[in-house]
Amino acid sequence: MKKIIKVSLSILVIASVLTLTPQLILAYPGFLFKEEFSHRNFTILSNEKVSTGIKEALDAISTKLLMTGFYDETDNVKIVLCSKGSLATFLDKISLGPVGVGFHHFSGNIYLFPERIDRFRKENLKAKGEEKGLLEHSYQAFEFDKILTHEILHKLHSDSLGIWEFKQKMPPPHWKAEGFAEYYTFCFEKEKSKDYDFRDRITLYMRYKDKFPLFYYKSQLLYEFLTEHRHMDFVDIMDDEVTEQGTYDELIQWYNQKN
């Protein structure tokens, strides 16, 4: 009996170490990176030299985030820039997330992969005609400052809900998490655009939704509809009774009435 208990405890310890070690690495990644750069409340870790030109980008991002009402400019934001292929692959694996251009870790750290951002941006620049409209005011344009803003907004979303509630729902429905990040990344930019038309964006979505994976685009439309046309606030939108399908049906009904 004692032997069984010892074996069980050993297995439990090993499992705990295997589970916790990757999370500790992601929470405290400093030893992996040779560069550290600080500006305002931002700390950047990088395996490449950080250009001082990033200060302007961080200033602009900070100004935009303050306008959302969710941002505390005294709260430290750690940004990890990984430009090496093997290290990026390692971080992807231990994060247990899909391979992408970045992610937000539960510790609040923001991970970005600049080489991937640049590669995807160049690829999407090949879009022609009205398909270019799918990239406007969108994550899919893969502009570094917009991607960074998007990921910081995931942190602010998590901070607003509380990390355990945010992670428990992994995250609170995906469309709400991405809709929140996309909406506040681009809403102030769209306000300044004389050519921006919400109905035109819905029309574009309807035309291409079966041709391209437009989940981010759709999530942004849904969040914008709830915020600007249903006049719902963050707490209202996060209510479990507000569903993706229900919101989409309302959006289409509104769109058809307006047209």
Side-chain angles (χ1 to χ4, degrees), residues 21-35:
T21 299
Q23 299 308 316
L24 286 171
I25 292 173
L26 290 169
Y28 303 99
F31 70 97
L32 294 172
F33 298 88
K34 62 183 180 181
E35 293 287 329

Side-chain angles (χ1 to χ4, degrees), residues 81-208:
L81 304 181
C82 184
S83 299
K84 299 292 185 182
S86 58
L87 183 54
T89 301
F90 170 71
L91 292 172
D92 276 328
K93 287 183 177 179
I94 67 173
S95 73
L96 303 179
V99 175
V101 298
F103 62 88
H104 158 246
H105 184 252
F106 79 84
S107 65
N109 295 344
I110 308 300
Y111 284 80
L112 290 186
F113 305 111
E115 287 180 349
R116 295 179 188 173
I117 292 172
D118 191 50
R119 185 168 73 248
F120 292 155
R121 181 184 60 80
K122 289 178 179 177
E123 184 62 29
N124 279 2
L125 282 175
K126 296 176 183 178
K128 297 180 180 179
E130 69 174 8
E131 291 180 8
K132 290 181 179 179
L134 296 171
L135 307 181
E136 293 177 356
H137 314 298
S138 168
Y139 187 97
Q140 297 299 322
F142 291 106
E143 297 174 339
F144 179 84
D145 60 329
K146 303 300 196 312
I147 298 291
L148 177 52
T149 303
H150 177 105
E151 295 302 335
I152 293 174
L153 280 159
H154 280 318
K155 168 180 165 52
L156 302 185
H157 190 172
S158 172
D159 291 346
S160 297
L161 285 178
I163 187 62
W164 295 115
E165 181 178 354
F166 186 84
K167 283 298 179 183
Q168 185 181 21
K169 296 181 179 179
M170 295 299 289
H174 195 194
W175 72 274
K176 291 184 182 180
E178 299 303 344
F180 172 87
E182 281 291 87
Y183 175 73
Y184 283 107
T185 295
F186 297 98
C187 65
F188 306 112
E189 174 183 291
K190 292 183 292 188
E191 286 177 359
K192 297 177 182 178
S193 174
K194 295 180 180 179
D195 298 325
Y196 182 78
D197 188 289
F198 184 55
R199 288 192 297 276
D200 286 348
R201 283 180 66 80
I202 299 173
T203 300
L204 204 59
Y205 172 75
M206 298 296 289
R207 190 169 295 157
Y208 289 100

Side-chain angles (χ1 to χ4, degrees), residues 62-71 184 188 191:
S62 186
T63 299
K64 180 187 294 183
L65 291 173
L66 278 171
M67 295 168 66
T68 69
F70 294 94
Y71 182 57
Y184 283 107
F188 306 112
E191 286 177 359

